Structure formats: structure tokens, C-alpha cells
Amino acid sequence: MIITDSDAIDQNALQEMIAEIDTGARNPIGLIPKKVLFFVPLIWTLFQLWYASPLPFIFNVLVFNSSEARAIHLAFAIFLAYTAYPTFKSSPRDYIPIQDCILALVGAFCASYLFLFYTGLSERPGDPLTIDLVVAVIGIVLLLEATRRTLGPPLMVVASIFILYTFAGPYMPNIIAHQGASLVKGMTHYWLTTEGVYGVALGVSSSMVFMFVLFGSLLESAGAGNYFIRTAFAGLGHLKGGPAKAAVISSGLTGLVSGSSIANVVTTGTFTIPLMRKVGFSAEKAGAVEVAASTNGQLTPPIMGAAAFLMVEYVGIPYIEVIKHAFLPAIISYIALVYIVHLEACKLGLEGLERKVTKTLNQKLLSFVMSILFVIIIGGATYYGLGWIKGVAGKATIYVVSVLLAVSYYGLIWHACRVPELESSHEINELPDLKETAQAGYYFLLPVVVLMWCLTVERLSPSLSAYWATMLLIVIVLTQRPLKGFIRKTSGEDFSFKKGSDELIDGLVSGARNMIGIGVATAAAGIVVGTVTLTGIGLVMTEFVEFISGGNLMLILFFTAIISLILGMGLPTTANYIVVSTLMAPVIVELGAQNGLIVPLIAVHLFVFYFGILADDTPPVGLAAFAAAGISGGDPIRTGIQGFGYDIRTAILPFLFIFNTELLIIGINSWYHLLVVVIASVIAMLAFAAATQGYFQTKNRIWESLALLLIAFMLFRPGYFWDKFFPPFIEKPSTELVQVVEGLEPGAMLRLNIKGEDMDGEEYTKALMFPVGEGKTGDEIINDIGFETRNEDGKILVDNVVFSSNAEKMGIDFDQEILLIKIPSDRMPKQIMFIPALALLALIYSLQKKRKAALVAT
């Protein structure tokens, strides 16, 4: 099956599915309604570009603070939610009913109330007028309805339950009861402050997420999505199961463009699924490969969907750190999926697309080495070259770099014009030439280079980095066609400035319409966050989860994973992440500490993020599976089940990096340590994939699959067995605290076990870890951490805690007793466990190789 123009009904149905989920299903035919759904998103985009740019501060005009920007952002989102999304599936889509227009205007007014009356509200904090409360109540109701329209009932129901919990606290069961809140207190908290709807989540949506969604939308308008797909096919289409491998890579690349797994499936699936069917994949397996690849697109740095930017605020680390921690799990997950596709192709005896020119082994090796060298040279020239310019040119760097970018852009456009234009149809009948395909779009990488340069080298904020990358992308969208026409010495609509300007406008409008659901979701999720801060349910959740799990950390993690999957069936990834991380992340960190395990907060947040994403292909709801089945013609439930089977490799990673934080590049001491971790992780994931697929060199025997699982576990967690024979830490009495810290190098980690009492007078113990700073004496080093101690009858007690210090943030409190100190023991490295694991892997490989040879011979 190859989708062509004759399949327009299927294409229209798929585009309608994206519209219903991402951009709004209403497409009015009247002139005024059509203009409304064109100009309002366009104005929203222009506002966000202005807000993200340095221009307001340069000209000191229209400078908006964070609270004002959030209010305006939400006003646009609610207005478009009512005008772009019908009330029900049976509601009219070809015009906007008058009641929706009224609700849109009232909702926009309520959302912008914080901006319109900012001065008055700031002068009467906690003492709202009647009109303030009326606006707040109406605003909450309209926000919940906007949430239902754009995202379906689940998030609306969740937010409503949390509102009910706030006001009905005294009537709740004893274990979750609280004193409740009055209407004045509740509405003020939810709507008139930045603790509820206008909280961190909406702030991240307005300041960061919009710019990255716009960046992706403009990349798609420029043709980058088509370029990534065709380049992936050109490079991998000739391999065994080549179209499926190309589907994995192209979906990962398209994940840089699209934050929506459903849109990712439809965008790349129209190319990849028919070709997978053509080389022999069943409808369900072809759809499942695309689903597994597309859902994982949000895991891939540097963009990672909206949730990555929320982590910046919730975890309190720079965005570049989030990218660093998320990089290795995302890469090994995609490598494993490519390998799973390879195993499926081997099982089915499939081949790839026929190559026009067959290269010799030497030519392949030379091509591979030259590609690696090219990437290294370009990367080094970008990093060190621009760094040198900055050191020499100083303030004039921006002008020098702008000229270099202009020259590079023109040179790459000229280079692209030496090969034919890329086709834009959804039909690939033969393998494209890799050199020509890649050459046709190198200039698409310039905005990505600018984005990464601003993020990693200049250390600009994510929103400002995305702004500069977007501005370059706007120039590319506008000028690429006229420049190609000039260089090719041809004319016509495809090479006109008007065509580029139309694509730019479409991209600006699409970017805003793609943000409707995210803007409303982050606002509605703010209700959940506001309830937690208002009622203290976070502490109740800790006690409740500890009670039902018996304090067992694995049960808590499993419980959290199930909650994420269930909520994720009805909530978008962003809202799911906000809800679950707000409730469960502190619980996991706290109970992990009580179990003696120090769990970094970023590990917990990535844990929740991973399982929220996996919900997109979890039956029976998995929307991405339904989208893929619409293209493949397969059964959506079977497609979802098969896709979830492929995604088991992604599901185990969160459990592993909770216990082995080296997978998140935490605790890596040197480049060779990093290299060992990367290689071991890749081999472990390949072994796990071979075990779960029941195929390595040939079909596995049961003991071989079990042995491969053991190998994967030993490579992922070498310390599990090693620690049982050689303890990783030596315990020192707390009375030696001063002497121990004096012997630690600056930057080393101090590990303490402490004992204290909770609010109910019950004792607890937990493990804490602090980075050691500078200091001449042990007492100075301890003071630099943020606490002081006293000795009472041989017990070391916390005597003072410095406000907002590392000690306070990690949970040190007055009168806690320091039980003991843990220092690393002098032992052989745990990586020695890799030797028996690799030996066992070599044994299985050799046995299967012989068995495979015997099968071929017979």
C-alpha cells in the first residue's frame, strides 16, 4: 500500500485528527470568522516574539512582567479554545456560533483581568473586591470548559476534583482531610495570585514553550520535516528493514520539530508506514514501529516537548543541565528501537530498498570516517571559531557572526542548488541518493546550530535562544525560494518571495494554533499545583503512599508509573507531567532518602516524564496508535499493544536511572568514565532488546533470553552485585564530622544519615548528600553547607540552619541528630562486573552463531 493522491479521503481524515487534537477542528467558511482564526493566532505569535525579544528593554516600550505576560498568554489561549474548538463533535464546524463568540470574549477578559487591573490587585492582596471574586469564579468555570473542548474531559475532571478537595476538606476521609478553604481564599489563590492558574506551569508556557513550538512550526513550513524524512530514508533505506529504521531516525529528527506524538505519527507515517508495508512488515508492526518512534520523539534533546522547560523551573537547574541528563537515555532508547527493527527484519527475512549504486566495504568505511570527521570539524569550527571571534571582536561579535551566518547561508543555498529540489509528495518508490538528498537541505541545520550555540556556549535563556534561532529561521523561510530562483536562473511561483511570505504567515499562525492546547493545559494543571500549595496535600500524599507501599521504594516507583500511564491516556504529556510530578516527585525523593537511597530530583522528574509519554501508545486509548492504524489499515488496539511491546525498552530506563544515576551523566568523573558508561549502556540495551524480542543471531532458547536479561541488568547496574561483596561506603561516627569534612576535596559529596521527628512526633531516619565547598577548617566547611552542630552527651545535633542554604533545601532541620557519616571506601571499581557479563554475552553469541550456520546449511 502506497498512499497517493487517490487516497485524499484518508489524508483528510488524518489531518482532521491532528486538528481535533492539536489545532482545533473548526474551519469556518465565513469571511469574518476565518479572519478571526487567522489574525488572532497571528497577533498572539507577534506578541510572544516581542515578549521574548530584547526589544522591549532596548526601546523601553511595552515591557511586560511575567505575571502580565501569563495573563495575556492565557487570554489568547482561552479565546481560541472557544472559537477554534466546537462544543461537541456534533457542533457546527463551518461557522462560529454566537454563544461561542460571547464565551470567548468573556473568557479572554477573565484571563486578562490580572493584566488589566494589575495595579489595583497588587494594592489589595488578600482583600479582593466582589467583582474580583465574580471574575475568578467565572474564569475558573470557563477555563475548565476550555480544557474539556481542547483536551477532552480527563484533565477537566482532575482539576475539578482538586477544586472540590480544596473546599470540602473537612468532609473528606480522615487520612486526606484538612481544614478547608473559604471561597475568598480559594479563588484568590487560584485566580488572583501566581500560586494557582498563573503559576510556574503557565509561566513556562508563555516564556519558553511558545517559542520552541513556533520554532518547530516554522521549520516544518520551511520544509525541514520533509528533508529529515528523506535524508533518513536515503541513509538507511537499503538496510534490512531499512524503511522501518528510517522511520525511527526520521521520527526522532521530526521530534525536534513537533512536540506532538500524534502529529509526528501522521507527518512521518504517511512516508514510512506504506514503505514498511512494501518491504514486508505487517500493518500492525509497521504502525507500531512508527508509534514507538514518534512517542519517543519528545525524549530527544534539545527540545523534548514542553515538559523539559517545566523541569527547569521545578527542579531548579539550567536548561542545558536538563539536556545533559536526558541525552544518554534518549540515545540508547533510539539505538535499541533501530536494533528491534533489525531483529524483526531478520525474523521475517526482510530486505531494504534497492540501492542505485553498491559501494565496496572500503568505500563504506571511507564514507563513514569522512562523515564523522566532517561533523567533528564543523562542530569544532563552530565552537572554537565563534569562541575565538567573541574573544577578539568583543561587543562587535554579533555583527561579525551575522555576516558569517549570511555568507554560510548563501553558500549552503548555492550548494543545494547544485542538486535537484526535494520532492514533497508522500510517495517514495525508490531509494533517494544520500549525497544529493543531504546536500539539498544543509542550510536547515543553521537555525539548530544557532539554537545550540546560544544555549550551550552563550548560556542565554531558553526563550531568548529560541528567539534568535527563530529570527534566523524567519529569514530562511522568506528568502530560500527567491535565492534559489536567482541562483538557478529561473522564476515562477515556487521561487517567488510571495510563496515564502505565505509559508512564513502559515507557520506563524500554525505555531499559535498548536499552542492552544498547551496554554490551556498548563493553566488547568496550575489548579492542581495551587491545591497542593493551599491544602498541604503533598505531605498527605507522602504518608498515604508510604502507607500503601509499606515504605518500599520499588512499589512506590511502580505505583507512580501506573498513575502516569493511566492519567496519560486522557491527559497531554505536559499536563500529566505537572500533575504527577507535583504529587509524587517529593514523595519518591523523601521515601528514597528514608530507605537510604539519595535520588536526584531530576531523576524523579524524568521518571514521570517518560511514563507520561508512553501513555500515548498505551491501549485502549493510545491516540498515536489510532493515527498509525489509520494509515496502515491495521487494528488500532493490536497496533498499540505491539507499540507498547517495542516501548518496554523505554519503560525500564526510568527504573534503572533512579538506582544508577550514571545513566543521567551524574557522578561521571572523566571522559573515559563517560565512554565506559555509554558503551556499557548501549550493549545492555541491545541485550535487553534481544531478550524481549526472543531473537539474537537466531531464535532464543528460554535460558538464553533469561541470560540476556541478566547481562543487561549487570551492565546497567554493575553495583548491585558488587556492593554485596564490597560495600561502597565506610561508616564513620558523627563525632568525627569535622575531621571527615576537612579531608574532603572541594566539590566532593558529604553523605549523612540523620534522625528527626515529623509533625506528629514520629521518628524517621533518612540519608542526605551535600556538595562540599571551600573552607580552611572543618567548621567553616560545615557552615558553608548551611548548618551548625552541637555535642550533647556524645550526640551530634543540628544547632542552627542557614536560611535558603543547601542544608535547608535538602531537609536539614533544628535538633535533628546526625547518626553517622558515609565516606567512599577504597575498593576496586564496580565495572569489573562487566567482564563476566560480556563473557556470557560472547558465549550466547557463539552458540547462536553455530546454530544459525547449521540452520542455513540444512
Side-chain angles (χ1 to χ4, degrees), residues 221-242:
S221 292
N226 180 48
Y227 171 70
F228 291 150
I229 292 168
R230 291 184 175 274
T231 303
F233 268 97
L236 300 173
H238 65 285
L239 302 174
K240 281 189 177 182

Side-chain angles (χ1 to χ4, degrees), residues 270-608:
T270 48
F271 288 88
T272 60
I273 291 175
L275 280 168
M276 282 189 269
R277 295 292 312 279
K278 185 178 180 179
V279 297
F281 279 87
S282 68
E284 284 75 21
K285 286 190 175 182
V289 168
E290 181 58 45
V291 168
S294 294
T295 52
N296 280 194
Q298 292 184 65
L299 302 176
T300 312
I303 296 178
M304 295 175 60
F309 307 108
L310 289 162
M311 285 182 206
V312 172
E313 299 297 326
Y314 287 161
V315 182
I317 60 177
Y319 183 62
I320 188 64
E321 290 293 310
V322 174
I323 293 175
K324 183 183 81 172
H325 297 316
F327 178 76
L328 182 55
I331 292 301
I332 61 177
S333 177
Y334 264 101
I335 289 173
L337 186 54
V338 171
Y339 185 60
I340 286 172
V341 166
H342 175 75
L343 295 177
E344 288 282 15
C346 291
K347 284 191 283 186
L348 297 171
L350 306 181
E351 297 297 331
L353 298 175
E354 185 179 350
R355 301 186 75 168
K356 295 179 181 177
V357 178
T358 303
K359 293 183 179 180
T360 65
L361 178 61
N362 289 338
Q363 288 174 325
K364 291 178 181 177
L365 289 175
L366 179 62
S367 177
F368 176 76
V369 171
M370 292 303 293
S371 299
I372 296 296
L373 286 176
F374 176 76
V375 171
I376 293 174
I377 291 169
I378 293 297
T382 302
Y383 188 90
Y384 295 105
L386 292 180
W388 175 79
I389 292 171
K390 186 176 180 181
V392 173
K395 293 182 179 180
T397 302
I398 183 66
Y399 305 107
V400 176
V401 170
S402 297
V403 171
L404 285 176
L405 276 174
V407 172
S408 301
Y409 172 51
Y410 184 83
L412 290 174
I413 286 283
W414 178 84
H415 193 53
C417 288
R418 294 171 65 85
V419 297
E421 288 288 310
L422 293 177
E423 295 182 20
S424 58
S425 69
H426 292 128
E427 187 175 346
I428 301 178
N429 290 318
E430 60 181 23
L431 192 69
D433 181 78
L434 177 59
K435 182 172 181 270
E436 287 189 356
T437 305
Q439 185 176 333
Y442 281 135
Y443 62 92
F444 287 131
L445 301 179
L446 284 177
V448 180
V449 169
V450 170
L451 176 64
M452 293 309 300
W453 169 261
C454 292
L455 282 172
T456 60
V457 180
E458 295 294 334
R459 298 297 178 104
L460 301 179
S461 68
S463 60
L464 190 55
S465 300
Y467 169 79
W468 288 119
T470 301
M471 295 310 294
L472 174 58
L473 193 49
I474 287 173
V475 173
I476 290 175
V477 175
L478 281 174
T479 61
Q480 62 172 335
R481 291 182 180 277
L483 277 176
K484 286 181 178 179
F486 172 75
I487 293 170
R488 292 183 186 276
K489 295 182 173 55
T490 186
S491 60
E493 185 182 351
D494 285 344
F495 299 100
S496 67
F497 182 81
K498 182 180 181 303
K499 179 81 170 178
S501 61
D502 288 344
E503 288 175 340
L504 172 62
I505 297 297
D506 287 344
L508 296 177
V509 173
S510 297
R513 293 194 67 165
N514 288 335
M515 274 298 301
I516 300 172
I518 296 175
V520 171
T522 50
I527 293 174
V528 177
V529 178
T531 301
V532 172
T533 58
L534 182 61
T535 64
I537 191 179
L539 296 174
V540 175
M541 283 296 296
T542 303
E543 296 175 0
F544 179 69
V545 173
E546 185 177 13
F547 171 75
I548 64 174
S549 66
N552 185 293
L553 185 60
M554 278 302 296
L555 282 179
I556 295 167
L557 291 172
F558 184 73
F559 181 61
T560 304
I562 296 299
I563 289 176
S564 295
L565 287 174
I566 292 174
L567 286 178
M569 291 181 192
L571 302 187
T573 303
T574 305
N576 184 16
Y577 165 73
I578 295 169
V579 172
V580 181
S581 66
T582 300
L583 292 175
M584 299 303 299
V587 177
I588 295 173
V589 172
E590 179 68 21
L591 296 183
Q594 293 181 21
N595 280 268
L597 178 69
I598 298 168
V599 183
L601 191 56
I602 182 65
V604 181
H605 280 259
L606 284 172
F607 182 95
V608 172

Side-chain angles (χ1 to χ4, degrees), residues 153-322:
L155 181 56
M156 182 203 71
V157 172
V158 170
S160 300
I161 290 172
F162 275 84
I163 292 174
L164 177 64
Y165 176 75
T166 296
F167 295 114
Y171 309 105
M172 291 289 169
N174 286 336
I175 191 170
I176 60 172
H178 64 97
Q179 66 180 7
S182 65
L183 181 67
V184 172
K185 185 176 181 180
M187 289 299 105
T188 299
H189 192 80
Y190 284 134
W191 201 261
L192 303 177
T193 70
T194 55
E195 294 295 324
V197 169
Y198 299 97
V200 170
L202 188 61
V204 170
S205 178
S206 63
S207 63
M208 301 183 202
V209 178
F210 192 104
M211 290 306 303
F212 280 87
V213 170
L214 177 62
F215 179 73
S217 177
L218 288 173
L219 268 177
E220 185 64 37
S221 292
N226 180 48
Y227 171 70
F228 291 150
I229 292 168
R230 291 184 175 274
T231 303
F233 268 97
L236 300 173
H238 65 285
L239 302 174
K240 281 189 177 182
K245 292 174 182 174
V248 174
I249 301 302
S250 61
S251 293
L253 292 172
T254 310
L256 300 176
V257 178
S258 169
S260 167
S261 56
I262 293 93
N264 204 346
V265 166
V266 174
T267 302
T268 59
T270 48
F271 288 88
T272 60
I273 291 175
L275 280 168
M276 282 189 269
R277 295 292 312 279
K278 185 178 180 179
V279 297
F281 279 87
S282 68
E284 284 75 21
K285 286 190 175 182
V289 168
E290 181 58 45
V291 168
S294 294
T295 52
N296 280 194
Q298 292 184 65
L299 302 176
T300 312
I303 296 178
M304 295 175 60
F309 307 108
L310 289 162
M311 285 182 206
V312 172
E313 299 297 326
Y314 287 161
V315 182
I317 60 177
Y319 183 62
I320 188 64
E321 290 293 310
V322 174

